[in-house]
Amino acid sequence: MAKLNDNYLKLKAGYLFPEIGRRVKAFSQANPDAKIIRLGIGDVTQPLAPAVLKAFHDAVEDLASKENFMGYGPEQGYEFLIDTLIEKSYKPLGVELKTSEIFISDGSKCDCANILDIFALDNKVAICDPVYPVYNDTNVMIGRTGEADEKGYYSGLTYLPCTEENGFTPAIPSEKVDIIYLCYPNNPTGAVASREDLKKWVDFALANDAVIFFDAAYEAFITEPGIPHSIYEIEGARRCAIEFRSFSKTAGFTGVRCALTVVPEELMADTGSGEKASLNKLWNRRQSTKFNGVSYPVQKAAAAVYSDEGWAQVKETIDYYMENARLIREGLQAAGLTVYGGVNAPYIWLKTPGGMSSWDFFDKLLSECHVVGTPGSGFGPSGEGFYRLSAFGDRQNVIEAIERIKNNLA
Amino acid sequence: MAKLNDNYLKLKAGYLFPEIGRRVKAFSQANPDAKIIRLGIGDVTQPLAPAVLKAFHDAVEDLASKENFMGYGPEQGYEFLIDTLIEKSYKPLGVELKTSEIFISDGSKCDCANILDIFALDNKVAICDPVYPVYNDTNVMIGRTGEADEKGYYSGLTYLPCTEENGFTPAIPSEKVDIIYLCYPNNPTGAVASREDLKKWVDFALANDAVIFFDAAYEAFITEPGIPHSIYEIEGARRCAIEFRSFSKTAGFTGVRCALTVVPEELMADTGSGEKASLNKLWNRRQSTKFNGVSYPVQKAAAAVYSDEGWAQVKETIDYYMENARLIREGLQAAGLTVYGGVNAPYIWLKTPGGMSSWDFFDKLLSECHVVGTPGSGFGPSGEGFYRLSAFGDRQNVIEAIERIKNNLA
């Protein structure tokens, strides 16, 4: 008698974004003429960079001839892409990585979910609250938790509240934890970590033999100098951190699919018999056995992001989105709202007016302004009373959305 | 103190194909002038079909403009591809599927590994021997087994020997099992299952509330009429089987990455509390949370495989590979070898001459003929004394490889 994984039944609701999709669909079916502006899911809207498109086409064309045809690639990714990342993305930060330390994948969502495969179930895990729901849900699915309480906290996980009071910067946990998820620039709050903030985490991890999962998916949106783009800019992080990065937001690859995960060779974890073993080797084995590499033309397109021409074009789009962020932030502030983020991150985290609940505010903006954002409570209990807007829209839509919200709240 | 997943340490050796890669690399470094012909890993060699290339380019070009840009797609895959598969690939077999029952992914290797996520750990699992190593290794990695014995069998798994004596058709297990992996046409033996064979498995699964994982990655290579291409051609299979299919071999997508998994809505498994729940819903939740869909241009290219023009071109390449299979099979038979497969499958499973071990024969063909195949023992203990050749080579290479082997064995 086949038995299913009961842990899935502990999951309280649908994944956040499908739920938003359902509400928007219902509204638009009832109001077919409403021009809905979506600043919710954080999906990009601007075309790929011309240099990236050219490399993509050229690589598709390689598949047209026997001579240039590419079949199975390395599960870890092609060296042409890995070495480009080492040279163009990490070296300028003063971070030295080896080819064997970067693993190319089809998405950070997959990687930060799949990374749990190589850890024992009895690790104590800490996540921020609010948080990218994937961190929480994948720990539930793998069986690390009990049921959720009425707030939505699952027993067995350590939650680190990120609130207005602590400037959305979680305190170092007082209890011992083995794995800590950090995301900077933060989704959903838009907060960033200074060098000193990250050093505290690295020191804590080294002192406790803990591992940090560092999600740097939004590092390209940092505009202020001095803020680390990689956790490996911090001394000692190679011995305690795995870093996730993505082309999704950086280069408009949400529909193209490419990401990378860094697992330094020095990074060790304990075996059941009290020895240390290399997590790099385990992740390599996991990827070799359960994954078959990223589409060849996609990897070629990704490498072109870091050509001089490609990066200039990609940077222009990043600047475009960050100008959106400024317009949203300042527009909402002018409307009297309390607003966070949007300076070094493409997300604006606003406090709902009058203590309205996140979903009530979502429904209000959907029905009255035809604007879709993301309810803060969807990211965790401490997100209640907040609402996330994404800066990835088209400029005219962003301007119109903010006007509608300003008029509605006036 | 972070603890790693100790189950990984039970894995005996590197994954089969990386090990082959290491031996070939060592040989070619020592013998830089040797012209090595690779008929090992089963990677395709012929270009993509022109209609597929055109759709691929067109979809890349969609990403060049704001108007046609595609960001995040559905995690389950685009309906344009799913509905094409339902109409063009399943309906002609008399199999009716719903859009919600097909999940597009980036590879069958991922899917047949990840599917274990939604099942409880205490299911009793049966796999064939020899077998695609991923089935075995992923069960070890997830913690379903103890250590391997000296033969290479892991305690806790039920192995179903497929031998010359039983025509490479495993017997229905005498003990109760909950999950059974079947692969037809078979990798590595090239054996196929008749309708009657499959009916026995479906009846067994229904009688035991077991689930069959049916790997049909090679269905497009069936040349003889009457052999099922899908397990859903068998009455009752919708209530007991998950089917995996791939574009990798069918359409030359090993470097492009696209596959599909079918989870019928009627398919149930037991919860811990003795109720039944839908595996389709669990897989949907798994994919929504841990996966972000397949690259949009890749899905467009995949859909073009089943256009009239695309399929005619794709079929021509399949026929080309199956003509290779015939040349290999008949050439080796002429050399006095005992040979299986190669009629409805792109793999030839040959008995090593004089009782030579699989790896010895591998090393002999590598060093004396500069031909790379796959040692049968790499697929499991019952593969010892066999050797797999793939028909996916270029024609001239196939002819030359067979000539070299014939001359060597003469």
Side-chain angles (χ1 to χ4, degrees), chain B residues 30 47-48 54 63 77 100 128 133 152 172 182 187 220 224 245 270 286 364 388 399:
Chain B
L48 294 191
K54 180 175 185 312
L63 306 177
S100 57
C128 293
I172 299 281
L182 295 177
N187 174 17
E224 294 180 321
R245 283 197 182 191
D270 276 58
R286 194 254 168 230
K364 175 184 165 70
R388 191 192 77 174
I399 290 170

mmCIF file of all heavy atoms in Angstrom, chain B residues 30 47-48 54 63 77 100 128 133 152 172 182 187 220 224 245 270 286 364 388 399:
data_model
loop_
_atom_site.group_PDB
_atom_site.id
_atom_site.type_symbol
_atom_site.label_atom_id
_atom_site.label_comp_id
_atom_site.label_asym_id
_atom_site.label_seq_id
_atom_site.Cartn_x
_atom_site.Cartn_y
_atom_site.Cartn_z
ATOM 1 N N ALA B 30 46.517 10.033 -22.341
ATOM 2 C CA ALA B 30 47.694 9.182 -22.567
ATOM 3 C C ALA B 30 47.862 8.849 -24.049
ATOM 4 O O ALA B 30 48.949 8.514 -24.505
ATOM 5 C CB ALA B 30 47.564 7.905 -21.736
ATOM 6 N N PRO B 47 21.445 16.998 -35.362
ATOM 7 C CA PRO B 47 20.897 18.336 -35.074
ATOM 8 C C PRO B 47 19.399 18.311 -34.777
ATOM 9 O O PRO B 47 18.698 17.355 -35.091
ATOM 10 C CB PRO B 47 21.183 19.121 -36.357
ATOM 11 C CG PRO B 47 21.694 18.178 -37.365
ATOM 12 C CD PRO B 47 22.089 16.922 -36.688
ATOM 13 N N LEU B 48 18.924 19.389 -34.179
ATOM 14 C CA LEU B 48 17.480 19.532 -33.960
ATOM 15 C C LEU B 48 16.764 19.623 -35.316
ATOM 16 O O LEU B 48 17.336 20.071 -36.303
ATOM 17 C CB LEU B 48 17.187 20.820 -33.179
ATOM 18 C CG LEU B 48 17.672 20.927 -31.734
ATOM 19 C CD1 LEU B 48 17.034 22.161 -31.075
ATOM 20 C CD2 LEU B 48 17.345 19.683 -30.920
ATOM 21 N N LYS B 54 13.183 26.509 -35.736
ATOM 22 C CA LYS B 54 12.460 27.740 -36.074
ATOM 23 C C LYS B 54 11.614 28.199 -34.880
ATOM 24 O O LYS B 54 11.623 29.385 -34.514
ATOM 25 C CB LYS B 54 11.575 27.520 -37.303
ATOM 26 C CG LYS B 54 10.824 28.787 -37.668
ATOM 27 C CD LYS B 54 10.016 28.708 -38.931
ATOM 28 C CE LYS B 54 9.398 30.074 -39.260
ATOM 29 N NZ LYS B 54 8.720 30.732 -38.127
ATOM 30 N N LEU B 63 11.305 37.322 -26.637
ATOM 31 C CA LEU B 63 11.896 37.932 -25.445
ATOM 32 C C LEU B 63 12.610 39.242 -25.768
ATOM 33 O O LEU B 63 13.171 39.890 -24.889
ATOM 34 C CB LEU B 63 12.859 36.946 -24.780
ATOM 35 C CG LEU B 63 12.248 35.576 -24.443
ATOM 36 C CD1 LEU B 63 13.304 34.656 -23.853
ATOM 37 C CD2 LEU B 63 11.068 35.714 -23.492
ATOM 38 N N GLY B 77 4.047 23.996 -16.535
ATOM 39 C CA GLY B 77 4.249 24.044 -17.972
ATOM 40 C C GLY B 77 3.129 24.808 -18.654
ATOM 41 O O GLY B 77 2.042 24.964 -18.098
ATOM 42 N N SER B 100 -4.469 19.154 -16.440
ATOM 43 C CA SER B 100 -3.954 19.159 -15.068
ATOM 44 C C SER B 100 -3.147 17.910 -14.728
ATOM 45 O O SER B 100 -2.567 17.819 -13.646
ATOM 46 C CB SER B 100 -5.121 19.259 -14.089
ATOM 47 O OG SER B 100 -6.013 18.170 -14.331
ATOM 48 N N CYS B 128 14.275 -2.851 -10.895
ATOM 49 C CA CYS B 128 14.865 -3.909 -11.706
ATOM 50 C C CYS B 128 16.382 -3.892 -11.548
ATOM 51 O O CYS B 128 16.971 -2.925 -11.093
ATOM 52 C CB CYS B 128 14.485 -3.714 -13.165
ATOM 53 S SG CYS B 128 12.722 -3.965 -13.448
ATOM 54 N N PRO B 133 20.721 3.850 -13.076
ATOM 55 C CA PRO B 133 21.237 3.999 -11.714
ATOM 56 C C PRO B 133 20.511 5.035 -10.860
ATOM 57 O O PRO B 133 20.530 4.950 -9.633
ATOM 58 C CB PRO B 133 22.701 4.417 -11.935
ATOM 59 C CG PRO B 133 23.047 3.954 -13.303
ATOM 60 C CD PRO B 133 21.782 4.004 -14.103
ATOM 61 N N GLY B 152 26.477 -5.222 -4.270
ATOM 62 C CA GLY B 152 26.030 -3.886 -4.664
ATOM 63 C C GLY B 152 24.546 -3.664 -4.407
ATOM 64 O O GLY B 152 24.000 -2.620 -4.760
ATOM 65 N N ILE B 172 7.009 -10.861 -11.297
ATOM 66 C CA ILE B 172 6.230 -10.105 -10.310
ATOM 67 C C ILE B 172 6.790 -10.464 -8.921
ATOM 68 O O ILE B 172 6.983 -11.636 -8.624
ATOM 69 C CB ILE B 172 4.743 -10.524 -10.403
ATOM 70 C CG1 ILE B 172 4.174 -10.217 -11.786
ATOM 71 C CG2 ILE B 172 3.926 -9.891 -9.281
ATOM 72 C CD1 ILE B 172 3.792 -8.788 -12.034
ATOM 73 N N LEU B 182 9.386 0.702 -13.412
ATOM 74 C CA LEU B 182 9.505 -0.049 -14.661
ATOM 75 C C LEU B 182 9.964 0.908 -15.750
ATOM 76 O O LEU B 182 9.546 2.068 -15.774
ATOM 77 C CB LEU B 182 8.153 -0.653 -15.058
ATOM 78 C CG LEU B 182 7.564 -1.714 -14.136
ATOM 79 C CD1 LEU B 182 6.185 -2.134 -14.655
ATOM 80 C CD2 LEU B 182 8.479 -2.937 -14.025
ATOM 81 N N ASN B 187 16.001 0.653 -20.642
ATOM 82 C CA ASN B 187 17.388 1.053 -20.511
ATOM 83 C C ASN B 187 17.894 0.284 -19.295
ATOM 84 O O ASN B 187 17.338 0.441 -18.217
ATOM 85 C CB ASN B 187 17.463 2.563 -20.272
ATOM 86 C CG ASN B 187 18.873 3.031 -19.975
ATOM 87 O OD1 ASN B 187 19.835 2.319 -20.235
ATOM 88 N ND2 ASN B 187 18.986 4.225 -19.416
ATOM 89 N N ALA B 220 9.393 6.425 -28.215
ATOM 90 C CA ALA B 220 9.399 6.831 -29.624
ATOM 91 C C ALA B 220 10.225 5.888 -30.496
ATOM 92 O O ALA B 220 10.135 5.938 -31.725
ATOM 93 C CB ALA B 220 9.925 8.262 -29.759
ATOM 94 N N GLU B 224 7.980 -1.956 -33.644
ATOM 95 C CA GLU B 224 7.032 -3.038 -33.912
ATOM 96 C C GLU B 224 5.628 -2.661 -33.441
ATOM 97 O O GLU B 224 5.471 -2.072 -32.370
ATOM 98 C CB GLU B 224 7.498 -4.321 -33.216
ATOM 99 C CG GLU B 224 8.807 -4.844 -33.804
ATOM 100 C CD GLU B 224 9.291 -6.133 -33.129
ATOM 101 O OE1 GLU B 224 9.165 -6.251 -31.895
ATOM 102 O OE2 GLU B 224 9.782 -7.010 -33.857
ATOM 103 N N ARG B 245 8.075 10.802 -19.421
ATOM 104 C CA ARG B 245 8.506 10.849 -20.817
ATOM 105 C C ARG B 245 9.474 11.997 -21.011
ATOM 106 O O ARG B 245 9.490 12.939 -20.219
ATOM 107 C CB ARG B 245 7.300 11.058 -21.723
ATOM 108 C CG ARG B 245 6.477 9.829 -21.933
ATOM 109 C CD ARG B 245 5.605 10.055 -23.130
ATOM 110 N NE ARG B 245 4.739 8.919 -23.390
ATOM 111 C CZ ARG B 245 4.029 8.784 -24.493
ATOM 112 N NH1 ARG B 245 4.085 9.720 -25.436
ATOM 113 N NH2 ARG B 245 3.267 7.740 -24.680
ATOM 114 N N ASP B 270 -2.007 6.359 0.370
ATOM 115 C CA ASP B 270 -2.518 6.412 1.741
ATOM 116 C C ASP B 270 -1.827 7.484 2.569
ATOM 117 O O ASP B 270 -0.605 7.653 2.499
ATOM 118 C CB ASP B 270 -2.318 5.053 2.411
ATOM 119 C CG ASP B 270 -3.449 4.114 2.055
ATOM 120 O OD1 ASP B 270 -3.645 3.886 0.836
ATOM 121 O OD2 ASP B 270 -4.145 3.637 2.962
ATOM 122 N N ARG B 286 4.404 20.096 -4.886
ATOM 123 C CA ARG B 286 5.870 19.949 -4.927
ATOM 124 C C ARG B 286 6.472 20.818 -6.034
ATOM 125 O O ARG B 286 7.424 21.561 -5.825
ATOM 126 C CB ARG B 286 6.233 18.475 -5.162
ATOM 127 C CG ARG B 286 7.700 18.143 -4.880
ATOM 128 C CD ARG B 286 8.474 17.941 -6.170
ATOM 129 N NE ARG B 286 9.908 17.898 -5.899
ATOM 130 C CZ ARG B 286 10.813 18.633 -6.563
ATOM 131 N NH1 ARG B 286 10.450 19.432 -7.549
ATOM 132 N NH2 ARG B 286 12.080 18.581 -6.252
ATOM 133 N N LYS B 364 38.935 -3.044 -22.479
ATOM 134 C CA LYS B 364 39.467 -3.666 -23.702
ATOM 135 C C LYS B 364 39.009 -2.870 -24.937
ATOM 136 O O LYS B 364 39.838 -2.506 -25.782
ATOM 137 C CB LYS B 364 38.959 -5.111 -23.799
ATOM 138 C CG LYS B 364 39.327 -5.868 -25.086
ATOM 139 C CD LYS B 364 38.678 -7.259 -25.081
ATOM 140 C CE LYS B 364 38.688 -7.911 -26.454
ATOM 141 N NZ LYS B 364 40.029 -8.315 -26.896
ATOM 142 N N ARG B 388 26.619 -2.253 -22.798
ATOM 143 C CA ARG B 388 25.595 -1.543 -23.570
ATOM 144 C C ARG B 388 26.213 -0.636 -24.617
ATOM 145 O O ARG B 388 27.136 0.128 -24.334
ATOM 146 C CB ARG B 388 24.741 -0.686 -22.623
ATOM 147 C CG ARG B 388 23.496 -0.115 -23.278
ATOM 148 C CD ARG B 388 22.834 0.950 -22.405
ATOM 149 N NE ARG B 388 23.561 2.207 -22.473
ATOM 150 C CZ ARG B 388 23.161 3.345 -21.917
ATOM 151 N NH1 ARG B 388 22.036 3.375 -21.202
ATOM 152 N NH2 ARG B 388 23.885 4.454 -22.033
ATOM 153 N N ILE B 399 29.457 2.776 -37.976
ATOM 154 C CA ILE B 399 29.998 1.770 -38.901
ATOM 155 C C ILE B 399 31.470 1.480 -38.552
ATOM 156 O O ILE B 399 31.887 0.316 -38.484
ATOM 157 C CB ILE B 399 29.858 2.258 -40.370
ATOM 158 C CG1 ILE B 399 28.368 2.240 -40.770
ATOM 159 C CG2 ILE B 399 30.692 1.397 -41.325
ATOM 160 C CD1 ILE B 399 28.057 2.920 -42.098
#
